[in-house]
Amino acid sequence: MSSSAATPTPPTGSPTPPPHATPPAEGTADDAQAPPATQAPHATHTLRAAEPANPAGTANPAKAAKPVDAAEERRQRRFALIGGSLGNLVEWYDWFIYASFAIYFADSFFPGDNPTTKLMNTAGIFAVGFLMRPVGGWVLGRAADRHGRKSALTLTVTMMSVAALLIAVAPTYDQAGYGGALVLLLARLLQGMSIGGEYAASATYLTEASARDRRGLGSSFQYVSMTCGQLLGLGILITLQHTLTKGQLESWGWRIPFLLGTVFAVVVYWLRRRLTETQAFREKSVDGPDDGAGTLKVLWQHRRQAGLVMALTLGGTVAYYTYTTYLTKYLIGSAGMPKNTATLVSFTALAVFAVLQPFAGALSDRIGRRPLLITFAVGCTVGTYPIMTALGSASSYWPALGLSLIALVVVTGYTSINAAVKAELFPTRVRALGVALPYAIANALFGGTAEYVALWFKNSGHESMFFWYVSGCALVSLVTYLLMPDTRNVALSRAEEAADDPAPTETPHPADAPAPGGAPTTAVPTAEAVATEAATAEAEAKAKAEAGGLRSAGAP
């Protein structure tokens, strides 16, 4: 790095030299090797970070970054983690309570005598919500790349609250025929659009807002909050199961969690309005408007990374929805377990699963992302069939819980770090869209249909074929993990890029020692600079000798 990037900031009131001003004579040797043009952004960013806020005489004070002390920076990171996570919790609470309470409200919207057919109808509407996730990923991912992660996060939680309210007041089949199912469908489409943008916005925000050596840990809270949202929904379900009769739950009790979701969303909206934008996006904003940010044209330039996102998501999303949203129905319908017991198994397993996420995320910060992803894919490929077969025979709490925990420990290798991996694949200007759109497409095709595919195989009398389906999806992701690079050390901002620039480590030349009261020089002289300095010194010595001769000749 050139000495220009290391030159200390002039004190307030002293003029700042223009960017291309000729350096002083004593700095000529240090500046002999000017940095190439491609390095200018990094050098400029380093200098800007070292300046006090709006120093007098700065050419462009609007672009000077206000310094933040370490304590304030830690406080902002913690608040970003809390705000991003709590909002994500409410989003996924609203998303998952549909699946959790479907066994109670299916009769309200779909008449008939076959319970499996009713569940397939509600599961079909659940899957339709996934079809809107690519749309939400595109619209809200573009908004996050152009207008900021914070604004996109605020918009997604607003949309989700409206959708939850629609489900809470939807009329039943007896009241409006299939009009109630239509309201249910519209609400799920809105939820799908919201969650499609929420995943990308929160994944990008949590990753960018985390310290570089803790991105795995920070991004793991996305699935902590997702799982806690599901736990909150299951907790409310368990509470209602013990306080209301089955008839009351099927009649009106299922509406309570959707009303609560609306209230939760209002609180999170207030919280997200007070979040701080990430440094990576603020840097991009300082550069001025970017018409290409968040566009499909720019995303196409990163189509290889987008393909990686789809492939690495495939196995993870199918496994996740198999062992979370479908698990309760599988234990009830296939293992013959009572509803209350099956719900308690899911609740306990998910609570342990949530606790595991930060530990796995922190581990990835030490050993890399690929080892965890590969471990997940191998375990899911070879372990799904025996685990699901054993779960189908588990009629009591403890065996079912043990098997569920084994499965979720394996899935943790994907869930704990997938947000960081995807965000680390893209540059800032298209990061949110790059995470959102390919992930949403993969989820629409595989994650959202996992429960429907499972019920279809069961209804056709070939339930075990679904286990092989899950293993096959994990195998595709395994090949991807083996071929893709590890993204742990990727720089997400110019500040991180500047930190990667090679800094001089040699002992400074004695001539570079600062004079009393002078400014230190950190650049190490190059061979050309030393030669230039020697030639200058020789010329000065010759000039002094000639001047001395003239004084001698003119002396009295």
Side-chain angles (χ1 to χ4, degrees):
M1 186 181 297
S2 68
S3 61
S4 59
T7 303
T9 307
T12 304
S14 60
T16 302
H20 302 290
T22 304
E26 59 271 21
T28 302
D30 291 330
D31 290 322
Q33 291 295 318
T38 55
Q39 294 181 1
H42 305 300
T44 302
H45 179 76
T46 305
L47 178 61
R48 186 187 302 131
E51 291 175 354
N54 297 336
T58 301
N60 193 350
K63 293 188 178 183
K66 182 180 180 179
V68 179
D69 60 36
E72 175 64 16
E73 184 177 2
R74 286 193 298 270
R75 189 196 69 80
Q76 289 182 2
R77 290 188 188 280
R78 284 195 297 266
F79 187 74
L81 189 65
I82 294 171
S85 299
L86 284 180
N88 200 44
L89 183 153
V90 173
E91 286 271 354
W92 290 96
Y93 162 83
D94 286 336
W95 179 259
F96 280 123
I97 56 174
Y98 179 96
S100 298
F101 281 84
I103 56 178
Y104 292 104
F105 66 69
D107 288 339
S108 298
F109 297 98
F110 302 102
D113 298 325
N114 189 333
T116 302
T117 300
K118 293 178 182 179
L119 285 177
M120 287 184 68
N121 287 330
T122 56
I125 292 182
F126 183 80
V128 165
F130 280 83
L131 297 179
M132 285 299 291
R133 290 178 70 161
V135 178
W138 171 52
V139 174
L140 297 172
R142 176 184 172 89
D145 284 328
R146 296 181 71 86
H147 305 294
R149 320 316 189 194
K150 173 183 170 181
S151 62
L153 287 170
T154 304
L155 180 58
T156 59
V157 77
T158 303
M159 296 170 63
M160 186 61 78
S161 65
V162 173
L165 184 60
L166 283 175
I167 297 177
V169 301
T172 64
Y173 179 82
D174 292 336
Q175 294 171 332
Y178 284 108
L182 180 60
V183 174
L184 203 66
L185 176 62
L186 292 175
R188 286 299 295 178
L189 291 175
L190 185 59
Q191 281 188 333
M193 186 172 181
S194 171
I195 212 72
E198 169 67 24
Y199 177 87
S202 63
T204 303
Y205 185 84
L206 289 173
T207 303
E208 290 182 346
S210 300
R212 186 175 188 178
D213 60 347
R214 295 187 177 183
R215 288 202 298 247
L217 173 62
S219 65
S220 71
F221 281 88
Q222 185 183 46
Y223 267 82
V224 171
S225 56
M226 283 176 63
T227 306
C228 286
Q230 190 170 3
L231 285 173
L232 180 60
L234 284 174
I236 292 174
L237 174 58
I238 293 173
T239 302
L240 293 177
Q241 285 175 338
H242 286 82
T243 56
L244 300 177
T245 65
K246 180 182 177 182
Q248 289 173 327
L249 266 174
E250 293 177 345
S251 176
W252 54 268
W254 61 267
R255 299 181 187 272
I256 294 175
F258 294 100
L259 289 171
L260 289 175
T262 305
V263 176
F264 296 155
V266 173
V267 176
V268 170
Y269 175 85
W270 175 86
L271 183 64
R272 284 189 164 180
R273 291 282 295 175
R274 284 154 180 78
L275 289 176
T276 302
E277 189 56 82
T278 65
Q279 179 181 0
F281 186 81
R282 290 199 307 268
E283 287 178 356
K284 188 183 80 68
S285 300
V286 165
D287 295 336
D290 183 357
D291 293 336
T295 61
L296 294 176
K297 179 179 180 181
V298 174
L299 180 60
W300 179 251
Q301 298 171 5
H302 301 276
R303 54 190 177 276
R304 178 180 176 275
Q305 291 91 325
L308 282 176
V309 170
M310 293 186 65
L312 68 89
T313 300
L314 170 60
T317 190
V318 171
Y320 178 76
Y321 282 102
T322 296
Y323 292 114
T324 55
T325 58
Y326 178 61
L327 179 64
T328 305
K329 298 180 182 66
Y330 180 69
L331 292 175
I332 294 171
S334 298
M337 188 175 291
K339 290 181 180 179
N340 291 3
T341 305
T343 303
L344 186 59
V345 168
S346 295
F347 183 89
T348 309
L350 285 172
V352 177
F353 176 69
V355 173
L356 290 176
Q357 303 306 301
F359 292 100
L363 180 62
S364 77
D365 288 325
R366 290 180 173 271
I367 67 174
R369 320 294 190 215
R370 290 178 70 246
L372 272 71
L373 292 172
I374 292 171
T375 300
F376 149 71
V378 171
C380 191
T381 300
V382 303
T384 296
Y385 188 90
I387 290 175
M388 292 296 289
T389 301
L391 278 170
S393 303
S395 57
S396 60
Y397 174 79
W398 288 108
L401 177 61
L403 291 167
S404 300
L405 286 176
I406 292 173
L408 289 175
V409 167
V410 172
V411 175
T412 296
Y414 165 80
T415 55
S416 60
I417 59 172
N418 80 97
V421 173
K422 293 164 187 173
E424 288 166 345
L425 288 172
F426 297 93
T428 303
R429 67 198 300 249
V430 74
R431 185 168 295 137
L433 180 62
V435 172
L437 189 56
Y439 168 81
I441 292 174
N443 259 274
L445 295 176
F446 302 101
T449 59
E451 182 179 337
Y452 192 86
V453 171
L455 290 171
W456 183 84
F457 276 121
K458 175 180 173 59
N459 205 40
S460 64
H462 302 284
E463 187 171 29
S464 62
M465 292 300 297
F466 176 69
F467 311 155
W468 292 114
Y469 170 78
V470 177
S471 295
C473 292
L475 181 60
V476 174
S477 291
L478 174 59
V479 175
T480 304
Y481 303 150
L482 292 172
L483 297 178
M484 70 180 291
D486 201 298
T487 59
R488 175 181 50 159
N489 295 319
V490 171
L492 298 186
S493 65
R494 286 202 296 267
E496 293 180 355
E497 290 174 356
D500 287 340
D501 286 346
T505 57
E506 297 87 353
T507 302
H509 191 279
D512 293 327
T521 302
T522 59
V524 176
T526 62
E528 184 178 351
V530 171
T532 303
E533 184 177 0
T536 302
E538 182 180 355
E540 291 177 350
K542 183 176 179 181
K544 289 179 180 179
E546 292 176 353
L550 290 174
R551 283 195 297 268
S552 299

